[in-house]
Amino acid sequence: MLYSTDASVFELKPSGVKTPQNREGLVSDLREALALGEAITLRGAGTSLAGQAIGEGLIVDISRHLNQVFEYRPQQQRVKVEPGMVLDELNHRLGFDGLFFPIDTSTSNRATLGGVISNNSAGAKSVYFGTPRDWVVSLDALLSDGSEVCFEPLDEVKLQNKLALDSLEGAIYRRVIELLTLHKQAILDSAVDASLIRRNTGYALDVLVRDYQPFNPAGKPFNLTPLVCGAEGTLCAITAATLNLTEKPKYSQLICAHFATLEQALNLIKPLLLTRPAAIELIDQATLDCTLHNAEQTANRFWVEGEPAAVLVIELFGDSLSVLKKNSIEQQAWLLKQGAYAAPLIASHQAHQVWALRKAGLGLLMGKRTRKKAVAVIEDASVPAERLTEFYHAVNNLLSEHQLSAVFYGHASVGLIHIRPELDLADPDSRKTFADLAEKFASLVKQYNGALSGEHGDGRLRSPFLRHQVGDEVYGVWQQIKSVFDPKNQFNPGVILTDKSVLQPMRADRQPLQKLKGGFDWRNDISLMDAVEKCNGAGACRKANGVMCPSYQVSREEAYSTRGRSNLLRWALTEPDPVAALSQTELQDALSHCLACKACKTECPASVDMARLKAEVSYQLKPSKLIRWTMTRQKALMAWSQKHPKKSDWLMGLGLSRRALGLDERRPLPKMGDFDLQDWWLNQPILPADNQQKVWVLVDLYSQYQEPEVGKATLQSLVKLGFDVRPVFMNASPRALISQGLLAEASNELANVIKALSNLALDDYIIGIEPSEVLTWRDEAKDLLPKRSDAFEYRRVMLYEELLVDLVKQQRLPAMPVVDKKLWLHVHCHQKSLAKPSDVNRLLSQIPGLVVHNINTGCCGMAGDFGYKHYEMSVKIAQQTLLPALEQVAETDWVVATGLSCRQQISDLAGKHSYHIAQLFNQLLPNNSIQN
């Protein structure tokens, strides 16, 4: 099930999956499968939108291990890589030499070079840089007889040598040359408009006869590489790629032109192309509206003015900053004169936010709260830019026939607009519409001499209509090309050449047979199944940076990505006995390796919340008696352990060894603090509270018993700030209860806290200390307490640092003393996902002289009990960025980590003490009469 879907609407269960560890393993696996007559699909990130990355035979996942650089020659601007190398990771390495491979797909942070080349995917800047065909020098490949070859440029002598070979390689060269010679004119006559940069329909025979010798005497040396580029893995298996590189542009400038109608925007594409832009991207209002409900993308909307029906994102390059600025201002003025109602110039340091919003478009659309999804069916055609407006009206007429609306976005510069109608493919009528649209759209594209596929490939989605696009003669040539390369049809069968209907097996075929009563209220997602189905397969969780999916980042194991877990969950929920299926070994292993970091809720464009889904599964399977007994007595057990520190090697006096509880013996158990925070507070003198503003402090169990010094610093500092401090000593940890699936118990504890706050005044503050506990109120609380607490304003519960930032805004924070120190800051993953990490920096900026170094970390790898149960993976996660950064910390430097788990991880693995931010401010704020 992990490999039965990609980002398309289709689903095919493979017969097996292999993840070769090196090139030799890849060749061995392929030869074995070929000898057995198995069908083979090579798969990279699995982000294909037309079903190219799935198949009923063997799936060979190249993304996990095959990501090495074979040879790098910066002086010659050339590199040779394995096919599993991720595009952004390659460009990050090349960037140190000022070079890059100039392909910019929307999936560049997880797309592998093998997939990029096989689909000839290009992205936003193809109008300037072209497509992979223009940059791939040569390809190492395995043919269908198991022989290894290199497709490379061949002069006349080398070509004759290839033609003389008594092998499959020689037969391929002879047959290809013969077919192109015999059918040259038909190939050119059937080809799409020659002006189209983006054309991926079928096999690129027109490229060979138009641009290469011997068919064009003035052309490039003959090379089969352009044929393999865009062949979608149907001709051979790519084992390595040699790429040309180029220097990064010196300067760039974005202009975001806003229009009242989409037609206004489309009418300006042709004249804009005369300025030779690097990109012209179209974003429509429907796509922009989706960004309003995504936490990460809301911050990226800073440039949006009003409610534009369409925006053109225009990028200009320049070698001179002054000349580029002059050209940008002139173009801005021209755009405003032509009807744009706004055209802001984007500062260079903010340009990445605009591109992040554009690239997130598909995932945002698919994450909408509706069963009608913006599906891929007519979304990849490219037509000549001068006919875009006309084509847009024709498509709208087609959609009107079916009473459908659609979103329009994409690479306007190359005439490629992604058009996505909203359909519910679980509905039989919608499926009929899907098939009818696909067929009629294909005819419409042919009428405009366009390419049915501009970048996403034919796959299983467009292949049924290709014979109609090019005619019987050229389609027959394609069949003969396929036959000589792959006579037994083993390489990705059913793709490009197929007689199957477009209504192939779909993922929507699997629907729940019985409805589970959820522990959470899932109505905001429609249902539990719909919450899982928000994952559309786009694979943003496979990116190598950010916080999301730390276990995937260190393992590259599909099952440990949000997409992988969603696929396994979808399978379980659609089984006849879903509860039994939820306990299946692979699913439980995948979920046990989820750190519940909450990053998917923010970084996944569709906002899939795997942490919540994981808790729901635990609830459905009913936690064990031991877990229930332990978690419901957590406060008493922590208090007992605090009073009996010599028994800390046994879990809170239970008499059970760590091994019996699944806790790794290499990790020391956390020590309890030296005093009881509640006892300490009760022994403080009562201070006058007249006219003081109240602050209610939700004191979590960890601040009471494990780190009472943090709780003490929090309470002391608030007293110093002049508040009437009212601590609420909690009896349980809602976050811990949720994580173990004890949702009813978590609900009761949340309700008890609300009762304790019954005297809350409108101007009172409510704060917490531990981020994961505080942010439970903003996240799960409303769906655990939908009826009992409608009047409670969940978002009123603030982090300690948010309260102090609010005081800064009100100019109520006292002046801090000068501190000549360096501070290293690591922010808790829940805080990164559900709050504003910048608040911590804003607060620390109030301390004069303090130099703050933000550690560019994702999750620290501890995550509650994860670090105790999965010690080795926890260490690997910490080793990504956290531990290397801490090696640079001097003895006199401060380290601040905002989460308890983070501080524990730093102590265990780096041997360094770190502080909660309250400890820092308590030390710096002036003293008053409270006892220490």
Side-chain angles (χ1 to χ4, degrees):
M1 288 306 297
L2 285 170
Y3 290 88
S4 64
T5 60
D6 49 14
S8 72
V9 299
F10 304 113
E11 178 178 298
L12 286 174
K13 189 176 179 182
S15 61
V17 177
K18 290 197 174 182
T19 55
Q21 296 198 8
N22 50 43
R23 186 176 181 178
E24 292 73 24
L26 171 63
V27 170
S28 176
D29 287 343
L30 291 172
R31 283 175 173 164
E32 181 182 357
L34 288 166
L36 293 171
E38 287 188 88
I40 299 168
T41 299
L42 267 69
R43 175 174 168 128
T47 58
S48 299
L49 289 163
Q52 301 96 311
I54 56 175
E56 294 174 290
L58 177 69
I59 299 287
V60 181
D61 182 352
I62 61 168
S63 68
R64 189 171 178 189
H65 302 293
L66 297 170
N67 51 17
Q68 302 303 307
V69 173
F70 284 128
E71 183 182 352
Y72 175 38
R73 290 178 286 163
Q75 301 274 330
Q76 288 75 35
Q77 298 188 356
R78 187 163 288 184
V79 67
K80 184 175 183 178
V81 299
E82 288 186 309
M85 170 65 74
V86 171
L87 179 54
D88 275 0
E89 291 179 20
L90 173 65
N91 278 331
H92 175 71
R93 295 191 194 188
L94 301 174
F96 294 106
D97 295 309
L99 300 173
F100 77 130
F101 179 60
I103 302 301
D104 182 31
T105 67
S106 63
T107 56
S108 60
N109 59 7
R110 66 263 196 203
T112 63
L113 268 300
V116 168
I117 292 166
S118 293
N119 275 1
N120 197 41
S121 305
K125 299 178 179 66
S126 58
V127 68
Y128 193 91
F129 290 114
T131 72
R133 280 196 189 107
D134 302 304
W135 295 91
V136 180
V137 180
S138 64
L139 294 171
D140 292 357
L142 189 85
L143 299 181
S144 60
D145 67 346
S147 61
E148 293 185 78
V149 299
C150 177
F151 296 127
E152 60 185 347
L154 303 173
D155 59 26
E156 188 174 349
V157 174
K158 289 181 178 179
L159 178 58
Q160 290 305 315
N161 290 338
K162 293 288 187 184
L163 292 168
L165 292 173
D166 184 19
S167 62
L168 177 57
E169 183 183 10
I172 287 171
Y173 278 99
R174 289 190 294 273
R175 191 66 173 138
V176 169
I177 293 290
E178 178 188 9
L179 288 169
L180 296 184
T181 302
L182 287 173
H183 301 277
K184 176 180 178 180
Q185 196 55 51
I187 290 167
L188 292 174
D189 290 344
S190 69
V192 300
D193 192 296
S195 70
L196 290 178
I197 296 170
R198 305 295 287 274
R199 54 191 196 281
N200 282 349
T201 302
Y203 294 124
L205 304 184
D206 60 312
V207 174
L208 291 179
V209 298
R210 186 182 290 122
D211 300 332
Y212 287 81
Q213 303 170 12
F215 311 101
N216 178 355
K220 306 170 190 174
F222 187 78
N223 190 350
L224 284 177
T225 294
L227 180 62
V228 178
C229 289
E232 303 178 24
T234 62
L235 300 180
C236 57
I238 298 171
T239 59
T242 301
L243 316 171
N244 276 331
L245 310 172
T246 189
E247 293 182 359
K248 288 183 176 181
K250 285 187 178 179
Y251 304 103
S252 66
Q253 176 65 61
L254 286 189
I255 308 172
C256 294
H258 297 48
F259 298 92
T261 69
L262 196 146
E263 186 174 354
Q264 280 181 301
L266 294 177
N267 284 338
L268 294 185
I269 303 301
K270 189 65 176 176
L272 280 170
L273 289 173
L274 299 176
T275 65
R276 200 164 181 258
I280 306 174
E281 292 290 291
L282 174 73
I283 309 176
D284 73 347
Q285 184 173 2
T287 307
L288 284 172
D289 286 348
C290 290
T291 65
L292 289 166
H293 310 294
N294 179 275
E296 185 173 39
Q297 296 308 325
T298 298
N300 292 333
R301 286 177 51 95
F302 67 91
W303 51 272
V304 180
E305 300 182 23
E307 297 183 0
V311 169
L312 292 180
V313 179
I314 304 155
E315 183 165 25
L316 303 176
F317 288 159
D319 292 329
S320 162
L321 187 59
S322 60
V323 172
L324 177 62
K325 186 174 182 179
K326 176 178 177 294
N327 291 342
S328 301
I329 291 171
E330 288 176 356
Q331 186 155 118
Q332 179 190 47
W334 181 84
L335 286 162
L336 293 170
K337 190 177 292 186
Q338 297 301 314
Y341 72 80
L345 300 179
I346 307 301
S348 58
H349 71 278
Q350 293 180 300
H352 72 280
Q353 291 180 262
V354 179
W355 287 123
L357 184 144
R358 162 63 186 91
K359 289 184 175 186
L362 170 60
L364 294 169
L365 291 166
M366 297 301 284
K368 288 175 65 177
R369 185 184 176 273
T370 173
R371 286 188 177 147
K372 287 187 175 182
K373 301 295 185 183
V375 300
V377 55
I378 59 171
E379 45 59 74
D380 193 39
S382 62
V383 300
E386 64 269 15
R387 305 191 72 182
L388 258 182
T389 305
E390 182 186 348
F391 180 67
Y392 162 69
H393 287 302
V395 173
N396 265 337
N397 290 336
L398 176 59
L399 292 168
S400 296
E401 288 180 29
H402 296 89
Q403 298 181 317
L404 292 172
S405 58
V407 294
F408 293 77
Y409 68 99
H411 316 304
S413 58
V414 287
L416 199 167
I417 304 297
H418 299 312
I419 305 159
R420 284 180 167 259
E422 294 186 338
L423 295 167
D424 176 8
L425 293 181
D427 173 51
D429 290 337
S430 285
R431 290 197 187 201
K432 290 177 185 176
T433 301
F434 179 93
D436 190 50
L437 275 177
E439 184 175 358
K440 290 180 177 177
F441 185 75
S443 296
L444 185 63
V445 172
K446 184 175 181 180
Q447 178 184 327
Y448 282 84
N449 202 20
L452 191 55
S453 171
E455 67 171 336
H456 296 155
D458 300 311
R460 302 170 192 281
L461 183 61
R462 283 168 275 273
S463 295
F465 311 105
L466 294 186
R467 184 187 290 271
H468 174 72
Q469 296 300 106
V470 297
D472 289 339
E473 181 179 349
V474 173
Y475 193 81
V477 176
W478 289 356
Q479 289 175 315
Q480 293 179 74
I481 293 284
K482 168 71 169 174
S483 180
V484 68
F485 270 92
D486 183 21
K488 295 180 182 178
N489 193 26
Q490 289 179 263
F491 284 123
N492 221 7
V495 172
I496 295 184
L497 301 174
T498 185
D499 56 2
K500 291 186 177 180
S501 161
V502 72
L503 293 174
Q504 299 185 42
M506 292 187 172
R507 60 184 288 168
D509 291 343
R510 290 189 69 94
Q511 295 295 321
L513 301 175
Q514 63 170 287
K515 187 177 180 181
L516 296 179
K517 181 175 173 52
F520 285 107
D521 181 354
W522 292 100
R523 285 177 295 180
N524 282 337
D525 292 301
I526 303 178
S527 72
L528 172 59
M529 180 65 178
D530 288 286
V532 174
E533 281 280 45
K534 286 200 298 188
C535 174
N536 55 77
C541 45
R542 291 173 58 99
K543 63 183 181 175
N545 55 4
V547 183
M548 182 164 47
C549 287
S551 52
Y552 172 78
Q553 289 180 18
V554 297
S555 71
R556 292 185 181 253
E557 169 61 58
E558 175 72 14
Y560 297 163
S561 67
T562 298
R563 180 178 70 182
R565 295 181 180 108
S566 296
N567 263 332
L568 292 172
L569 275 170
R570 187 170 59 86
W571 168 80
L573 293 175
T574 53
E575 284 291 281
D577 185 347
V579 175
L582 288 173
S583 64
Q584 187 250 8
T585 303
E586 284 81 1
L587 173 57
Q588 285 302 307
D589 176 71
L591 291 177
S592 76
H593 285 84
C594 169
L595 287 83
C597 66
K598 283 289 179 180
C600 50
K601 185 179 174 70
T602 302
E603 293 183 21
C604 168
S607 299
V608 176
D609 189 345
M610 189 51 61
R612 185 180 297 207
L613 290 167
K614 176 183 178 181
E616 180 68 48
V617 171
S618 296
Y619 169 82
Q620 294 293 337
L621 295 179
K622 297 183 173 53
S624 69
K625 290 181 180 179
L626 176 60
I627 289 175
R628 189 178 296 275
W629 188 88
T630 304
M631 297 306 299
T632 53
R633 292 163 177 78
Q634 193 179 11
K635 181 164 184 169
L637 292 169
M638 292 180 83
W640 186 94
S641 184
Q642 191 180 60
K643 292 173 183 175
H644 300 82
K646 292 183 180 180
K647 295 190 177 182
S648 62
D649 200 39
W650 295 75
L651 186 66
M652 303 174 190
L654 287 176
L656 291 171
S657 69
R658 287 179 291 179
R659 181 178 295 180
L661 291 163
L663 307 179
D664 196 292
E665 295 184 352
R666 288 170 288 183
R667 171 86 71 172
L669 289 176
K671 294 179 180 179
M672 295 297 111
D674 296 331
F675 63 96
D676 184 304
L677 183 66
Q678 189 168 1
D679 289 345
W680 170 82
W681 177 258
L682 292 174
N683 288 320
Q684 297 305 304
I686 299 174
L687 299 175
D690 294 341
N691 300 318
Q692 286 182 308
Q693 187 174 13
K694 292 188 182 70
V695 57
W696 300 79
V697 183
L698 307 185
V699 186
D700 56 87
L701 296 185
Y702 312 103
S703 299
Q704 291 183 51
Y705 298 106
Q706 192 169 333
E707 288 190 334
E709 65 275 9
V710 171
K712 177 181 175 181
T714 302
L715 300 175
Q716 281 185 326
S717 61
L718 293 172
V719 170
K720 291 178 182 181
L721 287 167
F723 287 108
D724 178 2
V725 180
R726 303 293 179 94
V728 176
F729 293 97
M730 298 178 68
N731 293 310
S733 164
R735 169 55 56 199
L737 292 169
I738 290 169
S739 69
Q740 297 296 334
L742 296 166
L743 303 186
E745 291 81 353
S747 176
N748 288 333
E749 178 59 20
L750 292 168
N752 289 336
V753 172
I754 291 173
K755 287 179 184 176
L757 297 172
S758 58
N759 294 326
L760 193 68
L762 283 175
D763 65 342
D764 289 356
Y765 283 109
I766 317 167
I767 74 157
I769 303 169
E770 173 60 25
S772 61
E773 297 286 347
V774 174
L775 296 170
T776 298
W777 290 95
R778 297 186 196 172
D779 192 15
E780 293 95 347
K782 62 182 181 300
D783 295 315
L784 288 172
L785 295 168
K787 295 178 181 177
R788 282 190 268 172
S789 54
D790 287 341
F792 187 77
E793 297 175 30
Y794 297 99
R795 297 196 69 84
R796 285 189 67 179
V797 184
M798 305 171 72
L799 294 162
Y800 172 88
E801 43 268 54
E802 290 174 332
L803 168 60
L804 267 62
V805 165
D806 196 52
L807 297 182
V808 171
K809 292 177 185 175
Q810 299 177 46
Q811 298 183 335
R812 289 174 56 190
L813 188 72
M816 296 289 107
V818 175
V819 176
D820 185 17
K821 273 186 177 289
K822 186 173 186 178
L823 183 147
W824 299 75
L825 174 64
H826 166 78
V827 179
H828 189 280
C829 52
H830 284 201
Q831 209 165 344
K832 291 170 183 164
S833 303
L834 303 173
K836 292 180 180 179
S838 57
D839 281 344
V840 186
N841 288 92
R842 184 171 181 182
L843 183 56
L844 291 172
S845 70
Q846 303 302 306
I847 304 173
L850 186 65
V851 177
V852 178
H853 180 83
N854 289 285
I855 304 176
N856 187 26
T857 48
C859 180
C860 73
M862 179 59 98
D865 65 1
F866 182 89
Y868 296 96
K869 292 183 175 180
H870 302 284
Y871 177 76
E872 289 185 3
M873 182 167 280
S874 174
V875 172
K876 286 181 181 178
I877 293 169
Q879 286 172 337
Q880 285 188 290
T881 51
L882 178 61
L883 295 183
L886 292 174
E887 289 176 1
Q888 303 173 53
V889 175
E891 283 189 19
T892 56
D893 294 349
W894 281 336
V895 178
V896 167
T898 59
L900 165 73
S901 288
C902 313
R903 293 190 291 277
Q904 189 70 50
Q905 184 80 317
I906 290 169
S907 174
D908 288 352
L909 302 185
K912 295 184 184 295
H913 182 73
S914 53
Y915 298 92
H916 185 280
I917 200 163
Q919 292 175 288
L920 191 65
F921 274 82
N922 188 48
Q923 180 180 330
L924 298 176
L925 287 165
N927 250 330
N928 68 358
S929 59
I930 194 168
Q931 294 179 4
N932 289 315

